[in-house]
Each structure stands twice: as C-alpha cells, then as structure tokens.
Amino acid sequence: GINAEYGIHVVGRGCERVVIVAYHASTLGVINKVLSWRGWIALSRLTFSVYLLHYIIIQSFIVQLRHPFFFKPDYEIAVLYVGFLGVSYAAAAILFTCVEQPVAFLERLTYRK
C-alpha cells in the first residue's frame, strides 16, 4: 500500500508548485496579496521561538496527564492542535518581547558604526 506520509508529501509539493507557478505567472492577484500580507512579518519573527517551545509545551501537557490519553472523537486532535499552536505562539511572543528584542537592541548599541 501507499504510505500516508508519502501521499501528504506529494500533495504538499504539488501545492507548492501551483503557488509558485501562479505567483510567477501573475494570473492570481489573490496569491500575491496573501503572500505580501504584513502579518507574515510578525509571525516570521516568532517562528523560531515557536519551534523551540512547542516540544516543551506538548511534553508538559503529556507529563501532567493522570491517565493514559486516547483520542476518542476526531475533533479532539484538532482542538489540541489549535490549543498547542495558540499557547506556543503566546509563549513565543513573551520570549520575543522579554529576550530577543532586548538582546537585539543591545547588539545595535554595541555594534553601532
């Protein structure tokens, strides 16, 4: 049988190619508007922090469980995903504000030309 992960990979690559071709062909103004949205700048600054923090957040959830965790309804996975994503981005925003911004400011002061 076909591995589901391979199928997802193929579909994802296909979608990437469609977006790239449509962007270069400039036939879809919607794609250009979505890709040039200013909100992506704020999210891109948080992405590495989310990458570092999401594993810790998921592990802390699993460690606090008092009984084995089984996915009963289908929507439970989606709810957990959205919850982990929201908590990860909130923690990343705090990390960015308390650590990354002050360090970047000190770097600018130190390495001023």
Side-chain angles (χ1 to χ4, degrees):
I2 297 176
N3 187 353
E5 187 175 324
Y6 176 73
I8 292 171
H9 178 74
V10 169
V11 170
R13 290 292 180 196
C15 290
E16 287 174 2
R17 290 183 179 123
V18 167
V19 168
I20 290 170
V21 169
Y23 183 75
H24 284 294
S26 296
T27 57
L28 299 175
V30 175
I31 292 176
N32 189 19
K33 287 181 183 179
V34 169
L35 292 177
S36 60
W37 178 53
R38 290 184 172 237
W40 294 122
I41 295 170
L43 291 176
S44 70
R45 291 184 180 154
L46 299 178
T47 303
F48 186 66
S49 297
V50 170
Y51 170 73
L52 293 176
L53 293 172
H54 84 279
Y55 183 74
I56 297 168
I57 291 168
I58 293 171
Q59 287 301 315
S60 65
F61 172 77
I62 292 171
V63 166
Q64 293 177 4
L65 291 176
R66 298 191 185 268
H67 53 82
F69 185 72
F70 300 105
F71 292 112
K72 294 173 187 109
D74 292 335
Y75 67 86
E76 191 171 347
I77 296 171
V79 169
L80 283 175
Y81 174 79
V82 171
F84 288 143
L85 187 67
V87 170
S88 296
Y89 268 99
I94 293 168
L95 183 67
F96 179 77
T97 304
C98 295
V99 177
E100 290 184 43
Q101 267 187 333
V103 169
F105 178 73
L106 290 175
E107 270 184 348
R108 274 187 263 134
L109 289 178
T110 305
Y111 298 115
R112 189 177 278 182
K113 289 184 180 183

